[in-house]
Amino acid sequence: MSFLGFLLLGLIAGAIAKLILPGKQGGGWIVTLLLGVVGAFLGGWLGSVIFGVGLEEFWSLQTWLLAIGGAIVVLLIYGLIVNRGSKARN
């Protein structure tokens, strides 16, 4: 997959992950892009380690499921970090 394809996949996966998770997550489109790309990378890595599949083709269902799953995990971790920081300030 090309670099631009990977960025587009990360942006879309991050946006879908934000839609799936309840609650208000901070950050705009740049944060969504970064979290989505990191999530897609994490999902591809975990998919290759656990299931023996990775992010191979842009239009593959397994690619999208791995990227969205990874983005959800990264968004959950990001939410825990951001919420913990905001509670400490109060």
Side-chain angles (χ1 to χ4, degrees):
M1 184 179 337
S2 71
F3 181 72
L4 289 176
F6 193 75
L7 285 178
L8 182 62
L9 173 72
L11 177 64
I12 296 170
I16 291 172
K18 276 192 169 187
L19 290 174
I20 290 173
L21 289 177
K24 183 179 184 325
Q25 292 87 21
W29 286 105
I30 300 295
V31 173
T32 301
L33 172 68
L34 292 174
L35 293 175
V37 169
V38 171
F41 180 74
L42 176 68
W45 179 75
L46 286 175
S48 66
V49 169
I50 296 171
F51 303 115
V53 296
L55 304 176
E56 297 167 5
E57 294 185 25
F58 186 80
W59 297 110
S60 171
L61 180 62
Q62 74 185 17
T63 296
W64 284 95
L65 292 176
L66 288 172
I68 293 168
I72 288 172
V73 169
V74 170
L75 194 58
L76 285 171
I77 293 170
Y78 174 77
L80 290 173
I81 292 170
V82 169
N83 288 339
R84 180 179 294 163
S86 66
K87 287 181 184 177
R89 288 182 225 160
N90 291 333

